[in-house]
Amino acid sequence: MADPGAAPFADGKIAEVMGDLETAEDVAFRAPGDAVSYTQGHGLDPADFPDVTRLDTEKAFGHSDYYDPDKRAVRHLRAVFAGEYDSLTTVDSSLDEEMTGATEIRRLVGFLQERLTPEEVARLGGDIDPIAQGIVSGRMGFTDAAAPLYMSLKDHDLLDKVPPSELFSEVTSLASDVAAKETNKRMLAGGSSEEKAILYAGAAKAASWGLAEVVTQPVEVVAKSTRAVNNWAQFAEVLAEGDLNTETWKKSLDKGSDAVTATIDLLNPF
């Protein structure tokens, strides 16, 4: 048994681990609201492996309910250990079917993984997990996540790889997609036609996009201001060194260029 990312499951090579157990069945759980599975921030989710059978978790929710004696997940574990495979019930739900926003949580982590090394993503893991848990629990939305994500990237000196403008644009996009999906889901549950649900979902997406921009713009302005001030300070430090040899001169030009770019970015309209 292991969580997503636990070696040697991290590379999806579950068959190599289980190969010596002739009677073993490759099974996995993913309960609705399990942020560890949704983020895949610690590694790949075994529930997505092609040769794995997903077992029903019934009323389990989140990452801590699998061993609840009143939930089907733990009964399934007992059955697997006893080799009673005929008693197992399976499930094949998508992320969106499990929870609105689950796909977007995974997209957010994927956005960071595209720009950062695995080591850098791992450094952010301690900050990403509570943010994902907050979204799953409903304590925060995607727009609420913009500021803590920015601060985490800033604290780890990663804003050059994940510029604030790109981060806030991604968060805005994710927030609007969640609003559209949730609206569509509620409209259909309330008996509305598919056409009407799609229409209202589109309106919710547009409204959410506008609201998210209003919420994230002040944070983005602060981020751009901080970046510009830091770059000008670094430029001044290079000039203060005094000895303008070829290497120092090139360094000063680079820092000056960064400072000018950051200032132009700050002054540009949204």
Side-chain angles (χ1 to χ4, degrees), residues 44-117:
L44 299 177
D45 180 6
D48 292 331
F49 295 172
D51 298 325
V52 164
T53 299
R54 279 188 59 197
L55 301 182
D56 186 15
T57 60
E58 198 180 23
K59 298 178 182 179
F61 184 87
H63 192 63
S64 303
D65 269 5
Y66 296 108
Y67 300 108
D68 187 322
D70 296 326
K71 306 292 170 60
R72 183 175 293 169
V74 75
R75 296 199 295 274
H76 274 158
L77 279 175
R78 293 193 192 104
V80 170
F81 293 149
E84 300 170 354
Y85 300 122
D86 292 341
S87 66
L88 302 177
T89 55
T90 62
V91 67
D92 190 27
S93 57
S94 68
L95 292 176
D96 281 336
E97 289 170 337
E98 292 167 18
M99 178 186 163
T100 303
T103 297
E104 286 69 29
I105 290 173
R106 187 167 288 185
R107 279 173 52 194
L108 177 59
V109 176
F111 165 83
L112 296 171
Q113 290 172 332
E114 289 173 0
R115 291 158 175 78
L116 303 173
T117 66

Side-chain angles (χ1 to χ4, degrees), residues 50-259:
D51 298 325
V52 164
T53 299
R54 279 188 59 197
L55 301 182
D56 186 15
T57 60
E58 198 180 23
K59 298 178 182 179
F61 184 87
H63 192 63
S64 303
D65 269 5
Y66 296 108
Y67 300 108
D68 187 322
D70 296 326
K71 306 292 170 60
R72 183 175 293 169
V74 75
R75 296 199 295 274
H76 274 158
L77 279 175
R78 293 193 192 104
V80 170
F81 293 149
E84 300 170 354
Y85 300 122
D86 292 341
S87 66
L88 302 177
T89 55
T90 62
V91 67
D92 190 27
S93 57
S94 68
L95 292 176
D96 281 336
E97 289 170 337
E98 292 167 18
M99 178 186 163
T100 303
T103 297
E104 286 69 29
I105 290 173
R106 187 167 288 185
R107 279 173 52 194
L108 177 59
V109 176
F111 165 83
L112 296 171
Q113 290 172 332
E114 289 173 0
R115 291 158 175 78
L116 303 173
T117 66
E119 293 75 18
E120 290 167 339
V121 173
R123 281 160 50 196
L124 294 175
D127 298 327
I128 294 175
D129 285 350
I131 291 173
Q133 292 284 2
I135 294 173
V136 166
S137 67
R139 294 193 305 271
M140 68 166 62
F142 279 90
T143 51
D144 302 316
L149 278 172
Y150 163 75
M151 291 305 301
S152 177
L153 291 165
K154 180 176 180 292
D155 291 343
H156 291 284
D157 296 322
L158 295 173
L159 287 177
D160 286 341
K161 290 191 172 184
V162 187
S165 57
E166 292 184 13
L167 172 65
F168 297 134
S169 177
E170 180 69 13
V171 168
T172 299
S173 175
L174 295 174
S176 65
D177 286 348
V178 169
K181 289 179 180 179
E182 186 63 25
T183 301
N184 183 273
K185 179 179 175 180
R186 293 189 180 190
M187 293 291 292
L188 292 176
S192 297
S193 66
E194 186 172 343
E195 292 78 9
K196 188 175 181 179
I198 292 174
L199 178 64
Y200 275 71
K205 182 181 178 73
S208 175
W209 188 286
L211 178 60
E213 285 191 326
V214 170
V215 172
T216 59
Q217 275 185 13
V219 183
E220 185 170 357
V221 169
V222 172
K224 289 182 176 181
S225 300
T226 302
R227 183 184 175 200
V229 169
N230 289 341
N231 284 343
W232 280 113
Q234 291 171 2
F235 178 51
E237 288 175 2
V238 173
L239 293 179
E241 293 176 3
D243 182 17
L244 293 181
N245 55 37
T246 302
E247 182 178 348
T248 308
W249 180 250
K250 182 180 183 303
K251 185 178 179 182
S252 68
L253 288 177
D254 290 341
K255 293 299 181 182
S257 176
D258 290 343

